[in-house]
Amino acid sequence: LDGFDVETIQKLAKIRIGKSPLPGRSYLISRGTIQRKLKGKFDKNNLKIILPKKPTVSRASLKISSKQLENIVLKEIKGQFQNYEDVKITIKTKLKDIYIPKGKASYKIKRIGKNNKIGGYSSWMLTLMLDQKPAKKVLVRAKVDVFDNVLVAKGVIDKGSKIEKTDLIEVKKDISKEKIGFMAKNQQIVGQHARRDIFENESVRDRLVGRPIVVQKGMPVKVVFKSKNLMLSNTGKAMKSGRKGDVIPVRTLRSKKIVYTVVIDSKNVEVAL
């Protein structure tokens, strides 16, 4: 704005021609647009409008390319699967370049919904932050394939048999469709007994093994009662099968009373206090 009429220049400076465009966009200013905004406001003044050939208004912004967005999502998702041997992530959403106003940019990413499977398809919300405030949200769909070393049966393990270290072998398998926490560790399996037949190359889960039953229903057992200054014993009959540490009912042979006991071994139980 130029001229000798200071008061008119001050009024001109307050005229609103248009709104700022969205970040990363621009629009063309025409002579007609300016004339319409000034119409009827400065009748007594001789105004001359001089414009470049194609005057445009752009807003200062930060460009985040689709490749940058992809790298952010891949890094964050992979970080949440770092406890696994190998993870393959495929972004299914077609990402586009994003523009946000200039400022201190950061981001947050969060998985949407609950999924009890280790991998598979999932949705993630990427929130782009500007000066610690949400500026843009991007919904990303991804497929996560997870591979890890899993204990499997080297051969068929018969139901009820004790599992030895030699019965197991560690192999790399796709566990994407398995439930979270399905894997059992070697030390949790060796020494346990198979609850059913475990087939060759089948993953050995916690639910497939258990402690052996040491007291069978109907077996005679020695019932022991212990206190600080007293120890009593009696004989009884197990009313229920049990493993070491299980609480089972026992009927004493003399008084025919039922007491609840803790299984110590195949011949001894202790009154549960």
Side-chain angles (χ1 to χ4, degrees):
L1 302 175
D2 192 19
F4 296 102
D5 191 338
V6 177
E7 185 178 349
T8 300
I9 289 176
Q10 290 176 342
K11 289 181 180 179
L12 281 169
K14 295 178 181 179
I15 299 297
R16 185 173 181 176
I17 302 298
K19 292 183 179 180
S20 174
L22 293 173
R25 298 190 180 183
S26 60
Y27 64 76
L28 185 68
I29 300 176
S30 67
R31 184 184 302 273
T33 299
I34 297 176
Q35 287 174 336
R36 284 194 299 272
K37 295 292 182 179
L38 300 180
K39 187 176 180 180
K41 295 181 180 179
F42 301 95
D43 296 337
K44 297 180 180 180
N45 297 281
N46 184 19
L47 301 178
K48 184 177 182 181
I49 301 174
I50 302 174
L51 292 176
K53 188 175 181 180
K54 288 186 178 181
T56 56
V57 173
S58 301
R59 186 175 176 184
S61 61
L62 295 172
K63 177 185 176 182
I64 305 174
S65 68
S66 58
K67 190 64 179 177
Q68 286 176 302
L69 291 172
E70 182 179 340
N71 290 337
I72 289 171
V73 174
L74 289 174
K75 179 183 176 182
E76 291 299 318
I77 295 178
K78 194 167 186 178
Q80 298 193 30
F81 289 87
Q82 58 186 352
N83 293 330
Y84 298 99
E85 183 74 19
D86 186 21
V87 178
K88 180 184 177 183
I89 304 166
T90 307
I91 304 297
K92 295 296 183 179
T93 303
K94 188 176 181 180
L95 299 172
K96 299 179 181 179
D97 296 346
I98 288 178
Y99 295 86
I100 60 174
K102 279 197 171 182
K104 187 178 180 181
S106 58
Y107 64 87
K108 294 180 181 179
I109 188 167
K110 182 180 179 181
R111 188 171 184 170
I112 298 176
K114 293 183 179 180
N115 189 351
N116 61 355
K117 302 293 184 183
I118 293 176
Y121 287 92
S122 56
S123 297
W124 303 77
M125 182 61 75
L126 173 63
T127 304
L128 299 173
M129 311 290 290
L130 189 66
D131 298 328
Q132 302 301 317
K133 294 181 180 180
K136 187 79 173 180
K137 291 186 176 183
V138 182
L139 182 63
V140 181
R141 187 76 171 159
K143 183 175 182 287
V144 183
D145 295 303
V146 184
F147 301 85
D148 206 351
N149 294 323
V150 179
L151 287 172
V152 302
K154 189 182 292 185
V156 177
I157 302 175
D158 296 327
K159 178 182 178 180
S161 61
K162 184 179 180 182
I163 298 176
E164 304 291 346
K165 191 173 182 179
T166 53
D167 294 326
L168 307 171
I169 188 172
E170 197 173 67
V171 298
K172 194 172 184 178
K173 292 183 70 175
D174 183 353
I175 59 171
S176 305
K177 296 181 180 179
E178 299 288 354
K179 291 185 177 181
I180 295 172
F182 90 101
M183 289 186 297
K185 297 180 181 178
N186 194 313
Q187 59 267 31
Q188 296 173 330
I189 297 174
V190 174
Q192 303 277 23
H193 287 239
R195 293 181 183 272
R196 64 161 173 80
D197 290 343
I198 302 175
F199 304 103
E200 185 177 356
N201 293 324
E202 183 179 0
S203 299
V204 183
R205 300 167 170 81
D206 286 334
R207 60 182 174 82
L208 297 181
V209 300
R211 291 170 291 140
I213 293 176
V214 294
V215 174
Q216 296 286 347
K217 181 179 178 180
M219 282 180 57
V221 291
K222 181 180 179 181
V223 183
V224 178
F225 171 80
K226 289 181 180 180
S227 67
K228 189 174 182 181
N229 300 312
L230 182 65
M231 179 176 174
L232 300 173
S233 65
N234 200 347
T235 54
K237 183 171 72 172
M239 305 297 294
K240 184 180 177 182
S241 299
R243 299 175 174 84
K244 185 176 180 180
D246 286 351
V247 176
I248 63 170
V250 173
R251 176 176 289 165
T252 59
L253 297 182
R254 291 181 182 177
S255 61
K256 305 298 182 182
K257 290 184 178 180
I258 295 178
V259 293
Y260 285 88
T261 63
V262 178
V263 177
I264 305 301
D265 53 39
S266 60
K267 296 180 180 180
N268 298 280
V269 295
E270 186 175 326
V271 175
L273 298 176

